[in-house]
Amino acid sequence: MAGVVHYPSLQACCEERRYGEVVAGPEIRASVDGEASKIPLLKGRDVGAGDTMQTPHVVVVSEFFAQRYWPGQDPIGKRLTLDKLGNNPDWLTVVGVARNVVQAEWAEAQREEVYLPYLQNADYLQRPMGAFSYLTLVVRTSGDAATLAPELRHVVQSLDKNVALAEVQTMDHVVSEATAEPQFYMLLLGSFAAVALILAAGGIYGVMSYSVARRTQEIGIRIALGAQSGDVVRMVVGQGAMLAFTGVGAGLVAAYAVTRLMSKLLYGISPNDPVTFLAVAALLTGVALLACYIPARRASRVDPMVALRNE
């Protein structure tokens, strides 16, 4: 059953909420068809063809709506209105709870939603204007959706020749258009990040390796004076680790502050995701330790006399 989605700007009235009622001021956003869109119904029933102006007015609310305004309660049977209380409000009875879905921007914050049947809406039946001047139909098919447009146009024309069918598109196309820009930005940022990570790892390895290589004479002297190769390697790696931990720590602090700017480009993950932070920190620290270990190990195996002559 086709219906309209409201994004209510809700202001709960204390007296009404005491009896499970909510007052709402609507902002109309989109049209939906619950069956074809396969929006999961968590409780109750969907709106249907039997919901008309002659039957009690009903509404389906989103899970987020129910949890916010009736926490810990069963929302089925509760009432809400989209009208002002002083104008003989039309009270709607909640008959179902739908799972939260994204209606507009794919990364938008979750909002309260209510689903209303078109056949119980006077604005649609009597004075179609604005969002009620058109219908958005969702059709599900088991075949190729892209080839269904001519048949849909034929069906609509057979019902009413004055009705125009415009902007026929598949859901894959709708989703692709909605995510194309964020995907491009993430691909671009991901490429830059990968290059930056490779450069950072290569730079750390080069600097640390060069720093340890310059200590070849020192390492030779220590071994000539009786130091064990393992002790020398542990000392060099330990000193390098202190530098690496200091640098990585400073980098994490800076990254924690900067990544908040990317929050609008991320979906399903926090800008300060601990797994990502730990993985990058572990990689860079590992590269630094490896850059210390390899030249230190190599220098510790060199004959002390050769090491002493090294410049």
Side-chain angles (χ1 to χ4, degrees):
M1 176 62 185
V4 65
V5 179
H6 283 262
Y7 283 155
S9 175
L10 291 170
Q11 296 180 342
C13 175
C14 297
E15 188 66 24
E16 279 71 25
R17 284 202 65 191
R18 187 178 305 170
Y19 298 97
E21 300 174 351
V22 175
V23 182
E27 182 178 359
I28 302 169
R29 290 297 187 187
S31 301
V32 298
D33 186 317
E35 280 295 322
S37 299
K38 294 299 180 183
I39 300 175
L41 198 64
L42 304 179
K43 283 186 177 181
R45 67 171 179 87
D46 197 357
V47 295
D51 297 314
T52 65
M53 295 295 292
Q54 289 71 42
T55 61
H57 288 192
V58 297
V59 63
V60 173
V61 301
S62 66
E63 184 181 12
F64 184 75
F65 184 107
Q67 291 174 348
R68 180 170 182 181
Y69 292 99
W70 299 299
Q73 303 178 47
D74 185 357
I76 304 299
K78 304 291 187 182
R79 298 202 307 163
L80 63 89
T81 182
L82 303 175
D83 304 322
K84 294 182 179 179
L85 287 178
N87 297 336
N88 190 23
D90 179 21
W91 288 98
L92 312 174
T93 302
V94 178
V95 295
V97 179
R99 177 162 294 173
N100 300 327
V101 295
V102 175
Q103 299 286 354
E105 296 183 7
W106 66 284
E108 69 181 357
Q110 188 61 57
R111 304 171 64 180
E112 303 93 343
E113 298 173 348
V114 297
Y115 299 83
L116 306 174
Y118 267 114
L119 296 181
Q120 285 188 343
N121 196 295
D123 288 326
Y124 168 67
L125 297 174
Q126 301 171 9
R127 46 185 183 277
M129 297 177 59
F132 292 105
S133 62
Y134 63 90
L135 278 174
T136 300
L137 300 178
V138 182
V139 179
R140 177 174 291 273
T141 176
S142 57
D144 185 3
T147 63
L148 197 62
E151 187 174 346
L152 289 177
R153 294 184 189 277
H154 176 72
V155 172
V156 171
Q157 290 294 310
S158 66
L159 296 174
D160 190 338
K161 294 182 179 180
N162 296 319
V163 175
L165 188 63
E167 297 186 32
V168 179
Q169 50 190 333
T170 65
M171 186 58 70
D172 288 340
H173 178 71
V174 173
V175 174
S176 176
E177 281 195 335
T179 59
E181 185 176 348
Q183 282 182 342
F184 172 75
Y185 287 146
M186 291 309 300
L187 178 62
L188 194 63
L189 289 175
S191 301
F192 288 156
V195 171
L197 186 61
I198 293 172
L199 291 176
I204 290 174
Y205 186 89
V207 170
M208 298 298 287
S209 178
Y210 176 72
S211 175
V212 175
R214 284 178 58 86
R215 300 176 63 182
T216 301
Q217 252 190 355
E218 174 195 340
I219 293 173
I221 293 173
R222 290 180 181 276
I223 294 177
L225 294 176
Q228 298 295 318
S229 298
D231 296 333
V232 174
V233 172
R234 279 192 294 271
M235 178 196 70
V236 174
V237 173
Q239 293 172 350
M242 291 299 296
L243 290 175
F245 290 146
T246 302
V248 169
L252 288 176
V253 172
Y256 183 84
V258 173
T259 49
R260 296 181 181 180
L261 301 176
M262 299 175 55
S263 58
K264 291 186 177 180
L265 297 175
L266 301 177
Y267 178 73
I269 187 172
S270 168
N272 300 316
D273 179 52
V275 176
T276 303
F277 274 56
L278 290 175
V280 173
L283 174 63
L284 296 180
T285 302
V287 169
L289 296 180
L290 190 64
C292 293
Y293 174 80
I294 293 177
R297 185 67 176 172
R298 184 166 53 242
S300 67
R301 293 179 176 179
V302 176
D303 184 274
M305 297 306 296
V306 176
L308 291 174
R309 290 195 297 268
N310 183 65
E311 294 183 1

mmCIF file of all heavy atoms in Angstrom, residues 208 215 235-245 288-289 292:
data_model
loop_
_atom_site.group_PDB
_atom_site.id
_atom_site.type_symbol
_atom_site.label_atom_id
_atom_site.label_comp_id
_atom_site.label_asym_id
_atom_site.label_seq_id
_atom_site.Cartn_x
_atom_site.Cartn_y
_atom_site.Cartn_z
ATOM 1 N N MET A 208 65.608 5.567 10.284
ATOM 2 C CA MET A 208 66.046 4.727 11.399
ATOM 3 C C MET A 208 67.221 3.849 10.982
ATOM 4 O O MET A 208 68.184 3.653 11.737
ATOM 5 C CB MET A 208 64.883 3.868 11.891
ATOM 6 C CG MET A 208 63.696 4.666 12.428
ATOM 7 S SD MET A 208 64.122 5.670 13.868
ATOM 8 C CE MET A 208 64.281 4.418 15.118
ATOM 9 N N ARG A 215 76.082 4.210 13.606
ATOM 10 C CA ARG A 215 76.614 3.790 14.909
ATOM 11 C C ARG A 215 77.455 2.508 14.790
ATOM 12 O O ARG A 215 77.696 1.838 15.792
ATOM 13 C CB ARG A 215 75.464 3.577 15.887
ATOM 14 C CG ARG A 215 74.626 4.831 16.131
ATOM 15 C CD ARG A 215 73.452 4.559 17.033
ATOM 16 N NE ARG A 215 73.889 4.140 18.369
ATOM 17 C CZ ARG A 215 73.041 3.800 19.348
ATOM 18 N NH1 ARG A 215 71.731 3.821 19.107
ATOM 19 N NH2 ARG A 215 73.499 3.431 20.517
ATOM 20 N N MET A 235 69.780 -3.129 22.840
ATOM 21 C CA MET A 235 69.946 -1.734 23.211
ATOM 22 C C MET A 235 69.553 -0.811 22.059
ATOM 23 O O MET A 235 68.809 0.162 22.253
ATOM 24 C CB MET A 235 71.402 -1.477 23.596
ATOM 25 C CG MET A 235 71.686 -0.010 23.949
ATOM 26 S SD MET A 235 73.441 0.371 23.945
ATOM 27 C CE MET A 235 73.804 0.267 22.177
ATOM 28 N N VAL A 236 70.046 -1.125 20.868
ATOM 29 C CA VAL A 236 69.750 -0.280 19.704
ATOM 30 C C VAL A 236 68.261 -0.304 19.378
ATOM 31 O O VAL A 236 67.645 0.743 19.122
ATOM 32 C CB VAL A 236 70.579 -0.739 18.495
ATOM 33 C CG1 VAL A 236 70.166 0.037 17.243
ATOM 34 C CG2 VAL A 236 72.066 -0.554 18.767
ATOM 35 N N VAL A 237 67.661 -1.488 19.389
ATOM 36 C CA VAL A 237 66.228 -1.603 19.091
ATOM 37 C C VAL A 237 65.401 -0.898 20.164
ATOM 38 O O VAL A 237 64.401 -0.236 19.868
ATOM 39 C CB VAL A 237 65.816 -3.079 18.973
ATOM 40 C CG1 VAL A 237 64.295 -3.208 18.846
ATOM 41 C CG2 VAL A 237 66.487 -3.726 17.769
ATOM 42 N N GLY A 238 65.803 -1.009 21.426
ATOM 43 C CA GLY A 238 65.090 -0.336 22.506
ATOM 44 C C GLY A 238 65.101 1.169 22.352
ATOM 45 O O GLY A 238 64.081 1.841 22.547
ATOM 46 N N GLN A 239 66.267 1.721 21.993
ATOM 47 C CA GLN A 239 66.360 3.160 21.780
ATOM 48 C C GLN A 239 65.519 3.600 20.582
ATOM 49 O O GLN A 239 64.868 4.641 20.611
ATOM 50 C CB GLN A 239 67.822 3.562 21.581
ATOM 51 C CG GLN A 239 68.672 3.385 22.840
ATOM 52 C CD GLN A 239 70.149 3.609 22.571
ATOM 53 O OE1 GLN A 239 70.583 3.712 21.418
ATOM 54 N NE2 GLN A 239 70.934 3.687 23.647
ATOM 55 N N GLY A 240 65.548 2.777 19.539
ATOM 56 C CA GLY A 240 64.707 3.089 18.372
ATOM 57 C C GLY A 240 63.227 2.996 18.695
ATOM 58 O O GLY A 240 62.425 3.785 18.190
ATOM 59 N N ALA A 241 62.884 2.039 19.558
ATOM 60 C CA ALA A 241 61.480 1.882 19.943
ATOM 61 C C ALA A 241 60.969 3.106 20.686
ATOM 62 O O ALA A 241 59.811 3.523 20.497
ATOM 63 C CB ALA A 241 61.311 0.632 20.798
ATOM 64 N N MET A 242 61.818 3.703 21.541
ATOM 65 C CA MET A 242 61.406 4.900 22.266
ATOM 66 C C MET A 242 61.084 6.030 21.299
ATOM 67 O O MET A 242 60.076 6.734 21.446
ATOM 68 C CB MET A 242 62.510 5.328 23.228
ATOM 69 C CG MET A 242 62.721 4.376 24.390
ATOM 70 S SD MET A 242 61.225 4.216 25.421
ATOM 71 C CE MET A 242 61.083 5.900 26.034
ATOM 72 N N LEU A 243 61.924 6.194 20.284
ATOM 73 C CA LEU A 243 61.660 7.219 19.273
ATOM 74 C C LEU A 243 60.381 6.905 18.484
ATOM 75 O O LEU A 243 59.572 7.791 18.202
ATOM 76 C CB LEU A 243 62.849 7.321 18.314
ATOM 77 C CG LEU A 243 64.147 7.909 18.877
ATOM 78 C CD1 LEU A 243 65.260 7.816 17.837
ATOM 79 C CD2 LEU A 243 63.941 9.356 19.303
ATOM 80 N N ALA A 244 60.223 5.622 18.147
ATOM 81 C CA ALA A 244 59.045 5.225 17.370
ATOM 82 C C ALA A 244 57.761 5.446 18.158
ATOM 83 O O ALA A 244 56.777 5.988 17.641
ATOM 84 C CB ALA A 244 59.166 3.751 16.968
ATOM 85 N N PHE A 245 57.757 5.050 19.431
ATOM 86 C CA PHE A 245 56.566 5.217 20.266
ATOM 87 C C PHE A 245 56.233 6.701 20.450
ATOM 88 O O PHE A 245 55.060 7.089 20.449
ATOM 89 C CB PHE A 245 56.763 4.560 21.625
ATOM 90 C CG PHE A 245 56.786 3.053 21.557
ATOM 91 C CD1 PHE A 245 57.589 2.312 22.406
ATOM 92 C CD2 PHE A 245 56.001 2.373 20.638
ATOM 93 C CE1 PHE A 245 57.609 0.934 22.351
ATOM 94 C CE2 PHE A 245 56.018 0.986 20.569
ATOM 95 C CZ PHE A 245 56.830 0.265 21.421
ATOM 96 N N ALA A 288 59.529 0.743 12.119
ATOM 97 C CA ALA A 288 60.623 1.416 12.829
ATOM 98 C C ALA A 288 61.510 0.409 13.554
ATOM 99 O O ALA A 288 62.756 0.501 13.514
ATOM 100 C CB ALA A 288 60.058 2.430 13.815
ATOM 101 N N LEU A 289 60.898 -0.564 14.210
ATOM 102 C CA LEU A 289 61.678 -1.576 14.931
ATOM 103 C C LEU A 289 62.490 -2.435 13.958
ATOM 104 O O LEU A 289 63.644 -2.788 14.240
ATOM 105 C CB LEU A 289 60.743 -2.452 15.767
ATOM 106 C CG LEU A 289 59.988 -1.736 16.897
ATOM 107 C CD1 LEU A 289 59.090 -2.714 17.638
ATOM 108 C CD2 LEU A 289 60.966 -1.086 17.871
ATOM 109 N N CYS A 292 65.513 -0.663 12.824
ATOM 110 C CA CYS A 292 66.579 -0.658 13.835
ATOM 111 C C CYS A 292 67.259 -2.022 13.925
ATOM 112 O O CYS A 292 68.488 -2.123 14.052
ATOM 113 C CB CYS A 292 66.018 -0.276 15.207
ATOM 114 S SG CYS A 292 65.431 1.421 15.319
#
